[in-house]
Every structure is written in structure tokens, then in C-alpha cells.
Amino acid sequence: ACCASSLWLLLPPCAGSFSRIVLLNPCRAMPRGAKPKLYYNPEMSTHTHPWAHVEKRTRASDVYEHLDRAGLLGSVQVLPGHSASDEELRTVHTQRHIDEVGRMTAAARADPTNRELCEPDGPGGVYYSGHADAAARLACGCVIDAAVGVLQDSKNATATRASPGDKARRRAPPAFAIVRPPGHHAGADPTDGHHAEGFCFYNSVAVAAGVVLASGDAQKVAILDWDVHHGNGTQSLFYEEGRCLYISLHRFGERWYPETGAACETGGGGGQGRNLNVPWTSDGLADSDYLAAFRLVLCPVLAQFSPDLLLLSAGFDAADGDAQGKMKVTATGFAQMTQLLLSAVDCPVAAALEGGYNSRVTCECCEAVLRVLLGSSPPATSPTLLAPSVEPTLRSVLAHNAPHWSGLRYSEKAVQDFFAEAARVGSAPRVSKRQRTAPAFADEERANPRAAEQQKLAEKRAAREAARGAGPGAALAG
């Protein structure tokens, strides 16, 4: 079987449209001998900072070196990508945004020790360097190439199908862009001085979507974002765009950056219904919690939307051991979510690294996702009891989005049965082993010895702004 049987334990009985997802595309045919493409350019590491920061220059290179040690680079085509042009960036960003990033980069190059200049939002927020613009353009170009490449490869695979009567689309091997700096917060705020935020300069995944929509290579694009922070930039850029479906699972409430992404934010204008948020309201959510959202909500919507391209904003700060996200999703959990996505759609798929600030954990998660993209099945795991906040969150998501998606119009009994089955098969979640998480946190502290100081400074700044009635200060994001 393509998927471990345990992946389907939480299917809602009597929900016909949802049950159909199980058999929709369990193992989509791929061209023989074709290798997935992995995009990585070492020049992205030139963007760095003289002060300690969690968005380290080695975030992408650590992953690449880990994949090499794991023996996976021989199974992929490694490509360097290109530097995104102004024309490509303008498919979603304004010229003012582009000019501002260039101007701030030049200023940081001229005065690299001016911390107030290089960290305009204060310690812990986005930082500029003399290479910020170039690194962000490379990251963006890698994701563009990944998106265009899988679409072209899929088109070629379909054109060379064995039988003229075979109309089934053959999906080309997926692509994975190992990139930094991240991108999904860029484009949220059009105010001068705020175009770049949350470590992000250009919204790589959004630009890739903009490029293929503008060229006509795709008529419909879906973006799935599982970074622990809401992709406010991606949502803002496509909020009124009917050709793009944006789905995000993220921590929400309690002043979590960027304080956007409520369930009621479903799109506007021509994009009504094309924005779907799963706003988690508590910390510590694990594999079964995320997988429940995929089975009950995300997979049915993706199948109904039937995109020409699926882009995955793959942030791993929701992973167990990443101090920024405070969640407990395992590498296996991310692999299982990837498998569900591949089963829910029959279109080409390209993934891009977003957040993830514990080097070892991010490396493990990228490896797990890449193995699924290469065709391996994720390990079977035993489901755990859902966190108390999961059912009310998912019920709220259904209430706000069912008017736009017939696949979410379950009977009340079907929803009750879904959560009853989750309770029946789930076991009490194990407590994370300190011997695993403590060394992981220690590794981050050694790499970033001023992380605690940096966090305190950011918290003090936020408190001062809150006392003045201002918005929240800079927050750790990505």
C-alpha cells in the first residue's frame, strides 16, 4: 500500500466526499527514471548578521549538508536556481517594495555595524545586510524554478503518455527548494518601511504562484502553509484573487505574531472563499491534531479546488524541539501530512523551506518530507488523543468555510462521529523526552548565545509599545 493504514484511522464515517479522498490519488504515476529536483544555492548564506539571530546564515546549508550525509542527494537533481528579476517580483510585489529592499540593503552595506539601521524593527525582527536583496532574490528564483520546472516536466510527461487514449495526467516528480531567507510574511503591509518583516524580504512562494499564473502555465494554484506563524504576506497578496487558494495552519491568539489568520478571514472580492485559515489557539499540538485538520478540512478542499499546481510553504517551526513554535509535530508527522497532500491532488507539487530555527530538527523534518517526495511511505504511528482546543477550532473552520466548499458540508452526525472515532483510537500523548529536546535547545543556545537576551529585549519593546497603545513589537517569526 502507498500509505500506512494508520493514516486513515480518523476518517469520518458517513462523510462521502471525505472518504473519497482516501482513494482519489493514492499513488499517482510518475515518469520512469525521472528524479525530483532540489534547488539550493550556497550564495544564500552570504546574508548574515554581526549580532546573534535565529534566522542564521546556515539554515539552508545545514539542511543541504544533512541531506548529503543521509545519502539523498544522489536521488535528486541539484540545481542552483536563478536570481529573481524585478519583472518576476512585480507579479505580486510593488516596485516600491522592491526599491525599498534594495535601498535598505545598500544602506546596510555602507554601514554594517549600525544596528538600528540593520534591524529597523528592533532586535529579533527582520535584519538587513549588504547581501539581503541578493540572497532573497536567489531564494525567490529557486522557488520560481521549482514551480515552473514541475509544471513543465508534468506537461512533458503527459505528452509522452503510453496510450493516446490514456487521458490521466501523469504527475512529474515533485521539487523541493531549500532556501532562506523565508518569504511568507513579505507583502503584508504596504506602508513604507514595513514591506519586509518577520525575517522575510520577498515572498518566494507567492512570487512563484504569480509567475505561473501570469504566464498561463497554471490557471489555478493552491498554496498550503504549515509554518507555525500565519503567512500574512501570502494571504494579503492573494486575498481577492480567485485563481489562488491559500490555506494556512498556524498558532493564533495571545498576541502571536503576526496576529492575523482568523477563521473568519475567508477571502474578499473575486477571492471570496479562496482563503482558509486553521488558527490553532493552544501550544503543544502534535501529529494527530494536524492530521485531523488535513483529513476533515484541507484534503477535501484541495480535491474540490483541483489546482494545476500545489505549492507547499514548508516551515518547520511547529516541529517538536523548535523553541520558537512551542508545538510538538514530529518529522514523521510532517511526512504523513506530505503523503496526504500528494494523495489529495493530482497536480505537480513544489515545496519551499520557510521557518524552522532548530537546526537539527529542521534537518530531520526536511529529510522526512523529501523521502516522501521521493516516493517512500512514512512510518506508521499510533494516533494520540486530540488536544482539547482542536475540536472547537476545526468546527469554527468548518462553519466559516462550508458555505464556499460543498466538500465541507458534513452532517452534524458525521462531525460527531469523526471526533468520537478520534477519541476511541487515540492514546494519551507521550511527554516529550527531555534528553531529546534539552540537547536540541542547547545546540541553539550555543549557536545563538544571545538568544535569551534578544528575546527579553523584544519582549520589553513590545511591552513599551503596548503601554503606549501601539501595535505589537517585533516578534520572532518566519
Side-chain angles (χ1 to χ4, degrees):
C2 223
C3 307
S5 59
S6 63
L7 289 178
W8 313 113
L9 287 176
L10 298 183
L11 286 175
C14 308
S17 63
F18 186 83
S19 299
R20 180 169 52 85
I21 297 298
V22 180
L23 300 176
L24 183 65
N25 298 302
C27 195
R28 177 60 54 188
M30 294 185 184
R32 292 182 179 179
K35 288 184 176 182
K37 294 175 180 176
L38 187 142
Y39 292 86
Y40 168 74
N41 193 311
E43 292 300 310
M44 290 181 289
S45 66
T46 57
H47 170 56
T48 188
H49 203 37
W51 302 281
H53 200 286
V54 295
E55 210 291 289
K56 299 180 294 186
R57 65 184 300 171
T58 59
R59 286 184 60 241
S61 60
D62 285 349
V63 172
Y64 183 80
E65 292 166 6
H66 174 86
L67 296 178
D68 189 17
R69 291 192 298 271
L72 293 178
L73 295 188
S75 301
V76 298
Q77 301 178 60
V78 179
L79 299 169
H82 76 282
S83 177
S85 67
D86 281 14
E87 181 181 4
E88 290 170 324
L89 296 174
R90 282 197 302 266
T91 58
V92 297
H93 292 306
T94 64
Q95 188 63 48
R96 179 178 291 182
H97 178 138
I98 299 166
D99 292 344
E100 180 179 291
V101 174
R103 176 178 57 80
M104 291 292 290
T105 296
R109 186 182 303 117
D111 192 2
T113 61
N114 185 335
R115 189 168 189 178
E116 185 175 348
L117 169 68
C118 294
E119 290 185 308
D121 292 339
V126 65
Y127 70 87
Y128 281 90
S129 73
H131 298 278
D133 180 69
R137 285 177 184 264
L138 276 176
C140 204
C142 284
V143 183
I144 293 170
D145 286 350
V148 172
V150 293
L151 283 167
Q152 186 59 52
D153 290 347
S154 186
K155 181 179 180 181
N156 293 340
T158 301
T160 58
R161 57 181 178 263
S163 169
D166 178 13
K167 296 183 179 180
R169 176 163 53 185
R170 299 182 71 199
R171 178 164 60 201
F176 199 171
I178 306 300
V179 296
R180 55 82 56 178
H184 69 157
H185 296 305
D189 186 349
T191 307
D192 286 347
H194 294 277
H195 292 116
E197 64 170 278
F199 314 161
C200 306
F201 301 94
Y202 301 125
N203 195 320
S204 300
V205 169
V207 172
V211 167
V212 299
L213 288 171
S215 68
D217 289 340
Q219 301 302 313
K220 294 190 297 181
V221 176
I223 299 173
L224 190 288
D225 186 343
W226 64 40
D227 190 284
V228 78
H229 299 95
H230 180 240
N232 54 334
T234 311
Q235 173 172 297
S236 178
L237 293 169
F238 291 115
Y239 202 67
E240 297 185 350
E241 173 56 75
R243 297 175 298 168
C244 183
L245 167 65
Y246 177 62
I247 299 174
S248 176
L249 306 93
H250 51 269
R251 185 67 168 85
F252 183 75
E254 300 176 343
R255 296 180 63 84
W256 260 81
Y257 179 86
E259 301 193 50
T260 57
C264 62
E265 297 168 9
T266 60
Q272 188 63 241
R274 294 296 190 261
N275 197 87
L276 193 156
N277 289 312
V278 180
W280 300 127
T281 58
S282 61
D283 299 334
L285 302 192
D287 297 356
S288 290
D289 303 309
Y290 273 71
L291 291 168
F294 272 71
R295 294 174 180 127
L296 187 64
V297 180
L298 308 189
C299 288
V301 169
L302 283 169
Q304 186 174 342
F305 184 63
S306 187
D308 300 317
L309 171 69
L310 172 62
L311 295 173
L312 175 59
S313 279
F316 295 106
D317 40 8
D320 188 14
D322 192 304
Q324 306 305 319
K326 303 179 182 178
M327 295 295 193
K328 297 188 179 299
V329 182
T330 68
T332 297
F334 283 113
Q336 291 174 342
M337 288 188 280
T338 304
Q339 182 72 74
L340 286 175
L341 290 176
L342 294 177
S343 298
V345 299
D346 65 355
C347 65
V349 177
L353 178 63
E354 293 278 4
Y357 304 103
N358 180 307
S359 177
R360 187 181 71 173
V361 171
T362 300
C363 289
E364 292 172 353
C365 291
C366 285
E367 177 187 348
V369 168
L370 180 58
R371 288 189 182 278
V372 173
L373 297 179
L374 286 167
S376 297
S377 297
T381 56
S382 299
T384 59
L385 293 172
L386 301 184
S389 65
V390 169
E391 180 173 350
T393 295
L394 295 184
R395 282 184 173 275
S396 175
V397 172
L398 289 175
H400 286 289
N401 289 278
H404 308 293
W405 301 99
S406 61
L408 300 184
R409 295 170 194 165
Y410 304 116
S411 68
E412 174 58 25
K413 182 178 186 304
V415 176
Q416 290 177 355
D417 287 347
F418 178 89
F419 290 109
E421 180 69 2
R424 186 185 69 81
V425 302
S427 58
R430 65 174 180 83
V431 177
S432 295
K433 295 180 180 178
R434 293 189 63 86
Q435 59 264 40
R436 180 178 187 275
T437 58
F441 293 138
D443 289 343
E444 291 301 290
E445 288 299 318
R446 282 194 293 270
N448 185 4
R450 295 181 61 191
E453 174 192 353
Q454 177 181 319
Q455 178 66 16
K456 289 179 182 178
L457 286 171
E459 290 172 354
K460 288 180 180 178
R461 182 172 180 271
R464 287 197 301 269
E465 291 181 351
R468 292 197 303 265
L476 298 176

